[in-house]
């Protein structure tokens, strides 16, 4: 309100006091209508004559408040999304709960304004260095649910907060004040997570980092959990894809075979023989396919299933999916790792973002590490060992009864010490899931290793043990076709808590034992 208000708090407070007594004929342009959060805070510090939270002359503010009754407030954490680099670590939203139909609850989003057809390099550079403006926008929750759960197929965790009435009112009024205001956007720090946490910071200490140049969505969950009694309840909403796969998973072999035949032939006779459970699974399948396909032929197939289902009685059955760990149970993403091998070498490794397959994170069974650097100490000498600019692996688990197969893939770009020389290297691979149950997954990959002097094609089989007794483990066996060499690697990692993990690794050269620290 004061021209020096950003740096002179006393002048800002004096301007706030003076603004309170401006003529009410200003109506919605009155400072009390524009900054109701500040006057609510001020009313708790000093006595304000004839103070009302929602002055009668602030018609827009009053209508907005009545349209959005707030019984409670929730923070939403949306799972990571590989198809958009800006969302790979997840996303945060804030929701005002009316206590009625949650689909129509007001949901606050913070996002950058990105021009259409922005090229990839410009997108990355502007996102990293503040080249985009960003705004808080709001809408009904069902619109966000359509985008995240049904279109982008991402899980959502809702953290319902334990706030008193004054805290809820202050947050609600602050949302009014900041909607559609422009902010600078920085992908690594001043992003959705940082800005949503800043809103909470006006009623609780969110311990926002001052000097660390990154802040990610999971950190909100961890900080809320660290607060005393600030989380009332945590609800898990699985993605539309998970619910659909769960329906197919519960089909009998005969029902699954019939579903596959109907998808392939769409025969009227086959559809008539399908029971309610099979038709319900097929309906979910066609809804899932409608995300990318909307042809006349496809709509006709879907219409036949709908007609057949309408002729069947209503059937209730349990379609609950197993909960993934809530985000506050994940370690922080930065990791320092120390290990000794059987040749008396000491390895030190540091990564800023470490979504390792063997760790806990919201990318489930996939992996994203960037950047990572490793040194080795041998005979009192320290050498550079490797650097990964990016290491990513997308593992798609396939359900036995599901009629489609999804491939998995991996990519890695960096530098490695090879024959005592530092060489640029790249790995690209494609593969798939050939076996899965509740605890084990087996993948077969065909990978290509490239550097400036050689190339190697390496078919390999990997067995991922997801939740065995001692921790998560990974076994790889491969063949270098060019040189005829065989190689293997076994690694098991146990997460002690959110700050420490221990691991053992064995390969065809040596074995090692190490510890990881998360911060």
């Amino acid at each position: 309100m004061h021209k020096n208000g950003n740096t002179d708090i006393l002048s800002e407070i004096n301007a706030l006091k003076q603004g309170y007594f401006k003529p009410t004929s200003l109506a919605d342009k009155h400072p009390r209508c524009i900054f109701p959060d500040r006057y609510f805070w001020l009313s708790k510090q000093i006595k304000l004559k004839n103070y009302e939270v929602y002055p009668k002359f602030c018609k827009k503010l009053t209508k907005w408040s009545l349209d959005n009754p707030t019984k409670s407030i929730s923070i939403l954490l949306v799972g990571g999304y590989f198809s958009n680099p800006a969302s790979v670590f997840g996303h945060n939203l804030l929701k005002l709960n009316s206590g009625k139909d949650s689909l129509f609850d007001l949901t606050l989003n913070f996002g950058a304004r990105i021009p259409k057809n922005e090229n990839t390099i410009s997108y990355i550079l502007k996102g990293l260095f503040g080249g985009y403006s960003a705004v808080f926008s709001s809408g009904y929750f069902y619109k966000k649910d359509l985008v995240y759960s049904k279109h982008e197929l991402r899980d959502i965790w809702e953290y319902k907060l334990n706030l008193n009435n004054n805290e809820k009112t202050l947050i609600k009024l602050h949302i009014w004040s900041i909607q559609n205001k422009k902010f600078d956007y920085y992908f690594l720090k001043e992003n959705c997570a940082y800005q949503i946490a800043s809103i909470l910071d006006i009623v609780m200490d969110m311990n926002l980092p001052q000097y660390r140049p990154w802040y990610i969505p999971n950190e909100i969950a961890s900080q809320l959990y660290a607060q005393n009694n600030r989380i009332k309840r945590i609800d898990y909403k699985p993605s539309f894809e998970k619910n659909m796969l769960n329906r197919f998973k519960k089909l009998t072999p005969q029902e699954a075979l019939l579903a596959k035949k109907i998808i392939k032939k769409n025969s009227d006779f086959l559809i008539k023989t399908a029971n309610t459970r099979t038709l319900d699974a097929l309906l979910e399948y066609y809804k899932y396919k409608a995300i990318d396909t909307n042809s006349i032929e496809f709509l006709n197939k879907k219409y036949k299933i709908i007609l057949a289902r309408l002729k069947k009685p209503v059937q209730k059955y349990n379609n609950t999916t197993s909960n993934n760990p809530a985000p506050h149970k994940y370690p922080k993403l930065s990791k320092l790792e120390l290990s000794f091998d059987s040749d008396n070498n000491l390895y030190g490794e540091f990564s800023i973002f470490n979504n390792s397959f063997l760790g806990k994170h919201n990318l489930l069974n996939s992996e994203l590490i960037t950047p990572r650097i490793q040194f080795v100490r041998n005979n009192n000498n320290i050498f550079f060992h490797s650097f990964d600019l990016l290491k990513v692996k997308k593992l798609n688990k396939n359900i036995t009864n599901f009629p489609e197969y999804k491939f998995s893939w991996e990519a890695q770009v960096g530098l490695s010490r090879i024959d005592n020389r530092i060489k640029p290297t790249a790995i690209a691979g494609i593969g798939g899931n050939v076996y899965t149950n509740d605890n084990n997954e087996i993948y077969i990959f065909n990978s290509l290793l490239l550097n400036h002097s050689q190339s190697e094609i390496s078919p390999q089989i990997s067995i991922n043990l997801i939740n065995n007794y001692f921790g998560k483990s990974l076994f790889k066996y491969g063949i270098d076709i060019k040189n005829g060499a065989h190689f293997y690697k076994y690694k098991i990692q146990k997460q002690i808590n959110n700050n420490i993990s221990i691991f053992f690794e064995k390969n065809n050269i040596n074995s090692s034992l190490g510890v990881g620290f998360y911060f």
Side-chain angles (χ1 to χ4, degrees), residues 42 49-50 55 90 158 197 258 272 275 294 311 322 378 382 422 457:
L42 188 62
K49 186 178 180 181
N50 299 324
E158 178 175 354
L258 178 59
K272 288 180 181 179
N275 61 20
N294 212 13
K311 296 176 183 178
S322 58
N378 176 264
I382 298 176
I422 298 173
I457 299 176

Side-chain angles (χ1 to χ4, degrees), residues 112-278:
R113 289 180 166 176
I114 301 171
K116 291 182 178 180
N117 303 317
E118 185 81 297
N119 68 71
T120 304
I121 294 176
S122 177
Y123 175 73
I124 293 172
L125 292 176
K126 288 182 179 179
L128 288 173
F129 299 107
Y132 293 122
S133 63
V135 295
F136 281 102
S137 59
S138 60
Y140 291 134
F141 173 69
Y142 79 85
K143 294 181 179 180
K144 304 301 179 185
D145 184 54
L146 282 172
V147 172
Y148 297 120
S149 178
K150 293 182 172 59
H151 181 71
E152 296 180 355
L153 306 176
R154 300 160 72 178
D155 295 338
I156 299 175
W157 289 265
E158 178 175 354
Y159 284 68
K160 187 167 284 189
L161 304 181
N162 191 12
L163 303 171
N164 63 41
N165 288 333
N166 285 340
E167 291 170 336
K168 286 185 286 187
T169 300
L170 182 56
I171 288 176
K172 183 176 180 178
L173 294 173
H174 186 58
I175 289 171
W176 166 264
S177 299
I178 62 177
Q179 281 188 112
N180 300 316
K181 298 290 192 299
K182 285 187 178 181
F183 296 79
D184 292 329
Y185 180 85
Y186 294 87
F187 167 64
L188 290 179
K189 186 172 182 180
E190 293 180 31
N191 49 28
C192 64
Y194 187 89
Q195 297 295 353
I196 295 293
S198 296
I199 295 175
L200 297 182
D201 199 50
I202 67 176
V203 299
M204 65 180 83
D205 183 10
M206 290 299 292
N207 193 28
L208 292 169
Q210 294 185 11
Y211 305 108
R212 177 160 55 87
W214 64 85
Y215 189 83
I216 60 172
N218 281 359
E219 293 192 58
I220 288 186
S222 300
Q223 288 163 355
L224 285 173
Y225 192 75
Q227 304 269 352
N228 290 329
N229 301 317
R230 281 300 192 179
I231 300 175
K232 186 181 294 183
R233 194 176 76 236
I234 303 172
D235 294 327
Y236 171 63
K237 181 179 176 59
S239 70
F240 179 78
E241 182 182 43
K242 282 188 178 173
N243 282 327
M244 176 208 59
L245 291 175
N246 193 51
R247 285 193 184 272
F248 276 90
K249 188 177 180 180
K250 292 182 177 181
L251 295 179
T252 66
Q254 293 79 14
E255 290 168 342
L257 180 61
L258 178 59
K260 290 179 182 179
K261 288 180 178 179
I262 290 173
I263 290 171
K264 186 175 182 180
K265 298 180 180 179
N266 205 241
S267 160
D268 290 340
F269 173 76
L270 291 175
I271 292 173
K272 288 180 181 179
T273 64
N275 61 20
T276 302
R277 188 162 59 175
T278 305

Side-chain angles (χ1 to χ4, degrees), residues 52 54-59 62:
E52 293 177 298
Y54 300 102
K56 294 180 178 62
F57 54 84
C58 298
K59 293 184 179 179
T62 303

Side-chain angles (χ1 to χ4, degrees), residues 252-414:
T252 66
Q254 293 79 14
E255 290 168 342
L257 180 61
L258 178 59
K260 290 179 182 179
K261 288 180 178 179
I262 290 173
I263 290 171
K264 186 175 182 180
K265 298 180 180 179
N266 205 241
S267 160
D268 290 340
F269 173 76
L270 291 175
I271 292 173
K272 288 180 181 179
T273 64
N275 61 20
T276 302
R277 188 162 59 175
T278 305
L279 290 172
D280 283 339
L282 286 167
L283 274 177
E284 294 299 298
Y285 170 78
Y286 282 114
K287 289 178 187 176
Y288 168 74
K289 295 299 290 182
I291 295 170
D292 301 314
T293 307
N294 212 13
S295 66
I296 298 299
E297 180 185 2
F298 171 81
L299 291 175
N300 287 336
K301 290 179 178 181
K302 180 181 176 181
Y303 182 65
K304 286 183 180 181
I305 301 299
I306 292 173
L307 287 179
R309 182 62 185 90
L310 289 173
K311 296 176 183 178
K312 300 285 186 181
V314 174
Q315 179 176 334
K316 293 184 179 180
Y317 47 87
N318 185 10
N319 190 45
T320 56
T321 58
S322 58
N323 286 13
N324 289 322
H328 69 267
K329 296 182 179 179
Y330 301 146
K332 292 183 178 180
L333 284 187
S334 298
K335 185 179 182 182
L336 174 65
E337 192 172 280
L338 300 173
S339 62
F340 283 97
D341 70 12
S342 53
D343 297 325
N344 294 321
N345 296 313
L346 171 64
Y347 288 86
E349 178 180 303
F350 172 72
S351 50
I352 294 178
F353 301 113
N354 192 301
N355 278 311
S356 165
F357 164 74
L358 294 177
K360 292 181 179 179
H361 48 79
N362 64 9
L363 294 178
L364 301 179
N365 296 334
S366 298
E367 182 171 75
L368 174 66
I369 301 173
T370 179
R372 176 172 67 178
I373 190 167
Q374 188 179 59
F375 292 89
V376 58
R377 180 178 180 274
N378 176 264
N379 295 327
N380 295 321
N381 295 313
I382 298 176
F383 301 97
F384 167 82
H385 186 264
S386 64
F387 170 76
D388 290 328
L389 177 63
L390 176 68
K391 181 181 180 183
V392 59
K393 179 176 285 190
K394 183 72 172 73
L395 300 180
N396 287 309
K397 184 167 67 173
N398 290 292
I399 304 299
T400 304
N401 290 338
F402 191 60
E404 293 185 358
Y405 188 87
K406 281 190 172 184
F407 286 97
S408 300
W409 54 271
E410 66 176 346
Q412 185 173 344
V413 179

Side-chain angles (χ1 to χ4, degrees), residues 456-481:
E456 300 172 2
I457 299 176
S458 305
Q460 51 187 271
I461 182 170
S462 62
I463 301 175
N464 306 324
L465 304 178
I466 305 302
N467 286 310
N468 58 348
Y469 179 76
F470 295 102
K472 295 178 76 173
S473 59
L474 170 68
F475 174 78
K476 278 187 178 181
Y477 175 80
I479 304 171
D480 178 355
I481 292 179

